[in-house]
């Protein structure tokens, strides 16, 4: 045999083989000692034949490898097609599941209606007719249409129902749709239908099945409305926490005894039609804000809710005919002018009301004589008043007379009364609303909570409180400078407002970080001993050479006693704990031969007479607008406030029932104060009866 000329073999084949199987090439390049020489042939001829044979085998293996590559490519293409088909099938299955869930919801509603009808029949006594006992869809109608969802799951079958393999056969009746067995006649109450308790169980089970299909979908859809990128994490079900019932604090409405106008509401309804717009959101009777949003495993599965504030679709009053009055009562507070301006603008500009009057000097303005005639409030007269402290129409304490107030309202043909004040003012507003109802007067009464002390119950905070805390910082900084610069042993004392509760003192202390001792009405003042405040101040002086003390005006009655003197509003005169502390600290350190310099600052009237800061200004605007939205819808005897960072309508009776609110001395806020000041904790563990006597805590 002649050797095959290797130079004529295709090069790419060898190259391809080397790239994929480099070890194969060594077979043709071994040393001469491994070559076999066949007798009768030359060694060179034999070597050529061996190389040719090896090359042929390598070529065969290469072709086989290429075949396997083609098979893999085909398998990959098939896998991609299968994946695409699976995705399409998943999408189709999800759509079917959603459609099934929707059908389940419809059947649940029909089943619950049937349950209610049956329960009514049971309550009435007697057998009832077929129509009375049967709902819009019972076992018969299930058979005529489709089996219930998850019908093959015994846990979700109606009690007593046996599902045949044939479509539409229940309770052992396996005929066709037209067979008599499919439609058994039931005399009186349908014997094949579960009793009411069993039907409730069926509805609960079906609802559980529905929830398994749609809960995550509903959660994500609701979340995506405001957060389009979704949750970003995998959800975990918390089975130990649930809410099964929500109880609303209902707000009275004039439509209960007065004919409403039923005017369709539009934003800017008092303006030209070209300037009117549709509201982005109109609220109804069941738009609510939950009260207790903090849930724990031992929390009861029930909670209360407030009616959410905002514009309603239909108005009780014809806006262009509305006459309104605004009255501000009690002490001054940052933001009063903002409220007056906001209510006036919303009434006149947004709703096109006929007239707005400002009652002068609080409730005494309803009586003839002392304060003069009311002030007409217009868009021009309220322009810029939000930049000033105080109240444009004046304020006053006490002097409430129900008969004179009602007569004044009738005389001026007032439809809306906006009362701005604290818990005492709101209690009087309730009497006005009750009398108007008793006389069938179409007058809406709305309260706007005003207390610089932040002690009205149920609210996150009252307007003006943030401004007061901000202004209090100036006094604390001054006290800090005085104490630090009067060496050695300088002490600065700041008295802040807080008759029943120490919210201003506490919040001012927390944001200052320069206070060594905070005294509030909710916590007993102890001067000496292991938990005494005097030894604590002594330690502060030893540590840094000065100390700052913040005192709420109502603190210290357990030491100085209660006064029998009251002001015009019925408020008891408070002891001057700050002045007493100034003198007692001097005597205490003199006895220890440590000279001290004590400076006393009382900024009480300074922090309440300023204009509202930006935060309170926005809050006042929201309160004003939503107060008018509520009265225009006919709500009365309600107050507007913020709960869980949402504006809500609260019945005035509920608002004042536990007011004034006090800070929880066993809660986390007071705990934060202790961590900042380092002072001893003299708070007592209050029993439930003690809490009931003192009012609400937060």
């Amino acid at each position: 045999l002649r050797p095959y000329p290797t130079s004529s073999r295709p090069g790419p084949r060898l190259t391809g083989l080397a790239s994929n199987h480099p070890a194969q090439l060594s077979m043709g390049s071994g040393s001469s000692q491994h070559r076999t020489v066949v007798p009768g042939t030359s060694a060179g001829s034999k070597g050529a034949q061996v190389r040719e044979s090896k090359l042929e085998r390598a070529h065969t293996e290469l072709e086989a490898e290429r075949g396997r590559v083609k098979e893999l490519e085909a398998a990959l293409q098939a896998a991609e097609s299968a994946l695409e088909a699976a995705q399409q099938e998943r999408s189709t299955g999800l759509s079917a599941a959603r459609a099934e869930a929707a059908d389940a919801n419809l059947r649940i509603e029909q089943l619950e209606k049937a349950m209610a009808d049956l329960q009514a029949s049971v309550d009435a006594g007697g057998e009832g007719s077929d129509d009375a006992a049967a709902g819009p869809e019972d076992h018969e109608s299930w058979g005529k249409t489709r089996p219930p969802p998850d019908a093959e799951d015994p846990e979700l079958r109606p009690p007593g129902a046996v599902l045949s393999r044939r479509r539409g056969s229940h309770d052992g009746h396996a005929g066709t749709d037209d067979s008599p067995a499919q439609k058994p006649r039931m005399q009186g109450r349908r014997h094949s239908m579960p009793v009411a308790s069993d039907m409730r169980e069926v509805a609960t089970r079906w609802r559980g099945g529905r929830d398994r299909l749609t809960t995550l979908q509903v959660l994500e859809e609701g979340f995506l409305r405001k957060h389009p990128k979704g949750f970003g994490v995998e959800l975990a079900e918390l089975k130990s926490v649930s809410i099964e019932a929500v109880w609303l604090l209902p707000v009275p409405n004039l439509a209960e005894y007065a004919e409403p106008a039923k005017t369709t509401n539009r934003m800017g309804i008092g303006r030209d039609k070209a300037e009117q717009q549709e509201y982005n959101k109109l609220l109804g009777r069941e738009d609510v804000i939950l009260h207790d949003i903090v849930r724990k495993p031992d929390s009861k599965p029930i909670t209360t809710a407030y009616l959410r504030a905002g514009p309603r679709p239909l108005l009780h009053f014809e806006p262009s005919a509305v006459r309104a009055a605004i009255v501000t009562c009690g002490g001054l507070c940052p933001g009063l002018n903002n409220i007056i301006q906001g209510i006036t603008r919303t009434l006149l500009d947004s709703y096109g009301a006929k007239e707005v009057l400002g009652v002068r000097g609080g409730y005494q303005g309803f009586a003839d004589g002392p304060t003069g005639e009311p002030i007409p409030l217009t868009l021009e007269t309220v322009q810029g008043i939000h930049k000033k402290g105080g109240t444009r129409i004046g304020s006053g304490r006490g002097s409430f007379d129900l008969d004179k107030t009602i007569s004044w309202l009738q005389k001026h043909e007032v439809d809306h009364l906006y009362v701005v004040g604290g818990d005492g003012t709101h209690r009087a507003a309730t009497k006005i609303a009750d009398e108007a109802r008793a006389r069938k007067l179409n007058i809406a009464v709305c309260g706007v909570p005003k207390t610089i002390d932040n002690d009205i119950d149920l609210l996150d905070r009252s307007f003006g409180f943030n401004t007061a805390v901000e202004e209090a910082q100036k006094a604390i900084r001054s006290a800090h400078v005085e104490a630090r610069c009067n060496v050695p042993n300088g002490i600065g004392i700041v008295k802040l407002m807080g008759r029943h509760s120490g919210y201003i003192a506490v919040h001012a202390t927390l944001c200052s970080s320069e206070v060594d001792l905070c005294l509030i009405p909710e916590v007993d003042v102890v001067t000496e001993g292991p938990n005494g405040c005097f030894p604590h101040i002594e330690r502060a002086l030893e540590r840094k050479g000065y100390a700052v003390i913040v005192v709420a005006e109502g603190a210290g009655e357990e030491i100085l006693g209660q006064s029998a003197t009251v002001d015009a509003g019925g408020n008891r005169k408070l002891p001057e704990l700050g002045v007493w502390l100034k003198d007692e600290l001097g005597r205490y350190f003199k006895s220890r031969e440590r000279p001290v310099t004590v400076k006393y600052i009382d900024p009480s009237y300074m922090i309440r007479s300023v204009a509202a800061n930006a935060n309170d200004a926005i809050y006042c605007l929201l309160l004003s607008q939503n107060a008018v939205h509520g009265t225009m819808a006919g709500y009365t005897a309600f107050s507007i406030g913020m709960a869980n960072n949402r504006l809500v309508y609260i019945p005035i009776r509920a608002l004042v029932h536990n007011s004034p609110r006090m800070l929880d001395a066993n809660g986390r806020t007071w705990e934060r104060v202790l961590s900042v000041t380092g002072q001893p904790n003299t708070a007592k563990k209050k029993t439930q009866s003690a809490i009931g006597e003192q009012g609400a805590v937060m």
Side-chain angles (χ1 to χ4, degrees):
L1 295 174
R2 291 179 297 174
Y4 190 86
T6 58
S7 61
S8 65
R9 297 293 293 173
R13 291 184 181 178
L14 188 60
T15 304
L17 179 65
S19 64
N20 290 285
H21 304 277
Q24 297 289 342
L25 296 180
S26 65
M27 296 175 61
S29 59
S31 62
S32 60
Q33 64 180 350
H34 295 295
R35 297 174 184 169
T36 302
V37 179
V38 181
T41 62
S42 64
S45 176
K46 280 292 184 179
Q49 291 178 5
V50 171
R51 286 192 297 271
E52 183 178 359
S53 176
K54 289 180 179 181
L55 288 172
E56 288 294 338
R57 285 198 304 270
H59 178 67
T60 301
E61 291 176 0
L62 178 61
E63 291 299 328
E65 191 71 20
R66 287 175 174 170
R68 284 193 294 272
V69 170
K70 289 182 180 180
E71 291 176 358
L72 291 174
E73 290 176 347
L76 178 61
Q77 185 176 2
E80 291 176 347
S81 300
L83 177 61
E84 183 178 356
Q87 290 175 343
Q88 183 176 2
E89 182 179 357
R90 178 181 177 275
S91 177
T92 304
L94 181 59
S95 300
R98 289 174 177 172
E100 184 179 359
D103 290 341
N105 287 335
L106 178 61
R107 287 195 294 276
I108 288 170
E109 294 176 0
Q110 294 173 339
L111 184 61
E112 289 176 341
K113 185 177 185 302
M115 180 176 67
D117 293 341
L118 178 60
Q119 186 63 52
S121 175
V122 172
D123 294 341
E127 294 299 313
S129 64
D130 288 351
D131 292 336
E137 187 171 3
D138 57 9
H139 290 181
E140 290 184 52
S141 58
W142 289 342
K144 287 186 177 180
T145 54
R146 64 180 71 82
D150 298 326
E152 295 304 322
D153 185 354
E155 290 297 322
L156 297 179
R157 293 177 190 163
V162 179
L163 208 60
S164 169
R165 292 188 180 186
R166 297 190 61 177
R167 183 181 181 87
S169 55
H170 289 75
D171 300 325
H173 305 294
T176 63
D177 287 349
D178 297 327
S179 66
Q182 182 63 30
K183 301 179 180 180
R185 292 299 299 169
M186 304 176 189
Q187 301 300 324
R189 192 178 299 123
R190 298 185 180 232
H191 62 269
S192 68
M193 198 170 196
V195 297
S197 60
D198 289 337
M199 292 184 69
R200 292 192 185 96
E201 184 180 1
V202 174
T204 301
R205 288 179 177 177
W206 277 20
R207 195 175 296 280
R210 182 270 311 271
D211 286 345
R212 286 196 296 271
L213 292 172
T214 63
T215 296
L216 291 178
Q217 175 192 349
V218 170
L219 282 173
E220 188 162 351
E221 287 178 354
F223 191 83
L224 288 176
R225 282 197 293 267
K226 291 187 177 181
H227 310 279
K229 292 186 178 180
F231 291 107
V233 296
E234 184 177 352
L235 299 181
E237 184 181 5
L238 192 61
K239 295 183 178 181
S240 60
V241 176
S242 64
I243 297 178
E244 298 176 1
V246 178
W247 295 84
L248 178 68
L249 276 69
V251 178
N253 196 289
L254 295 173
E256 297 170 11
Y257 63 85
E259 184 67 25
K262 295 184 179 180
T263 303
T264 301
N265 195 7
R266 288 173 59 84
M267 186 168 65
I269 192 173
R271 304 169 186 164
D272 295 336
K273 287 189 176 181
E275 298 180 0
Q276 297 179 16
Q277 303 178 45
E278 297 292 337
Y279 281 102
N280 288 334
K281 181 179 291 184
L282 291 169
L283 303 177
R285 297 179 179 178
E286 295 186 353
D287 287 296
V288 300
I289 300 298
L290 297 183
H291 172 212
D292 188 6
I293 60 174
V294 178
R295 313 302 296 174
K296 297 179 291 186
D298 59 348
S299 297
K300 301 297 183 183
I302 59 175
T303 187
T304 53
Y306 307 118
L307 190 64
R308 189 170 187 182
R312 264 52 187 176
L314 298 177
L315 302 179
H316 179 86
F317 294 93
E318 181 59 44
S320 60
V322 167
R323 286 186 170 92
I326 306 173
V327 59
T328 56
C329 304
L332 298 182
C333 178
L336 281 171
N337 277 334
N338 299 71
I339 295 293
I340 295 170
Q341 182 190 73
I343 293 176
T344 302
R345 282 184 169 177
T346 306
L347 283 167
L348 297 178
D349 186 39
S350 298
Y351 280 97
K354 188 172 185 178
E355 185 180 27
V356 181
L357 299 175
V359 181
R360 293 180 58 84
Y363 280 130
Q364 60 185 330
F366 291 113
D368 296 332
T371 60
E373 290 297 312
I375 301 174
L377 297 175
T378 65
L379 296 178
E380 291 74 23
T381 58
V382 299
Q383 181 68 32
I385 65 173
H386 64 291
K387 301 176 183 178
K388 303 175 182 178
T391 164
R392 172 68 176 81
I393 57 179
S395 185
R397 297 184 183 275
S399 304
F400 174 70
D401 188 304
L402 179 59
D403 291 334
K404 290 182 178 180
T405 301
I406 294 294
S407 298
W408 190 97
L409 296 175
Q410 290 180 299
K411 173 184 175 181
H412 292 86
E413 299 178 340
V414 171
D415 304 295
H416 296 181
L417 175 61
Y418 299 92
V419 179
V420 187
D423 54 335
T425 302
H426 274 68
R427 289 185 175 92
T430 302
K431 296 179 180 179
I432 298 173
D434 290 345
E435 186 65 20
R437 179 185 182 90
R439 301 189 188 190
K440 298 295 187 291
L441 301 177
N442 196 25
I443 300 175
V445 179
C446 171
V448 182
K450 179 225 43 123
T451 166
I452 199 171
D453 295 343
N454 197 39
D455 60 355
I456 293 183
D457 194 23
L458 304 181
L459 304 178
D460 289 355
R461 71 178 190 276
S462 54
F463 74 86
F465 174 71
N466 280 347
T467 304
V469 172
E470 182 178 304
E471 287 297 311
Q473 294 305 297
K474 299 177 182 179
I476 294 176
R477 284 194 290 269
S478 297
H480 177 261
V481 171
E482 289 287 346
R484 181 169 50 84
C485 295
N486 280 276
V487 293
N489 305 322
I491 300 175
I493 301 177
V494 178
K495 173 190 172 184
L496 297 177
M497 305 192 81
R499 173 175 294 274
H500 302 287
S501 59
Y503 286 103
I504 293 180
V506 162
H507 284 255
T509 296
L510 291 176
C511 64
S512 170
S513 297
E514 295 174 341
V515 178
D516 300 289
L517 177 65
C518 179
L519 302 177
I520 60 175
E522 295 89 339
V523 179
D524 289 349
V525 177
V526 178
T527 57
E528 300 190 45
N531 291 328
C533 61
F534 288 177
H536 170 67
I537 293 299
E538 187 173 12
R539 291 191 292 269
L541 294 177
E542 292 174 351
R543 185 175 67 255
K544 59 181 182 177
Y546 65 90
V548 177
I549 303 173
V550 169
V551 180
E553 62 176 338
E557 284 191 332
E558 65 278 0
I559 293 178
L560 304 181
Q562 293 185 355
S563 173
T565 307
V566 297
D567 61 17
N571 298 311
R572 187 176 64 252
K573 185 178 179 181
L574 298 173
E576 291 289 346
L577 180 64
V579 176
W580 181 84
L581 275 178
K582 181 177 182 295
D583 297 335
E584 288 299 312
L585 282 170
R587 282 192 286 269
Y588 176 83
F589 284 106
K590 184 177 181 180
S591 66
R592 282 161 173 72
E593 298 181 353
R594 181 192 290 267
V596 295
T597 303
V598 184
K599 301 294 184 181
Y600 177 70
I601 300 174
D602 182 357
S604 302
Y605 296 100
M606 294 173 61
I607 70 174
R608 75 177 195 174
S609 60
V610 299
N613 64 10
N615 186 287
D616 275 324
I618 295 173
Y619 187 22
C620 288
L621 177 63
L622 297 178
L623 293 173
S624 303
Q625 290 179 340
N626 285 283
V628 177
H629 290 324
T631 51
M632 280 292 181
Y635 291 117
T636 187
F638 75 98
S639 194
I640 176 70
M642 181 179 287
N644 295 328
N645 207 35
R646 294 292 188 275
L647 273 296
V648 296
Y649 297 144
I650 304 175
I652 294 180
R653 293 187 188 279
L655 191 74
V656 302
H657 193 64
N658 288 293
S659 295
R661 173 179 63 191
M662 298 182 183
L663 186 135
D664 186 1
N666 302 131
R668 299 182 66 187
T669 300
W670 182 244
E671 190 176 72
R672 296 185 186 105
V673 172
L674 300 178
S675 69
V676 169
T677 63
Q679 68 190 74
N681 187 10
T682 57
K684 298 178 181 178
K685 294 294 183 181
K686 293 183 172 60
T687 62
Q688 189 62 37
S689 59
I691 293 175
E693 292 174 0
Q694 71 174 14
V697 294
M698 185 182 78

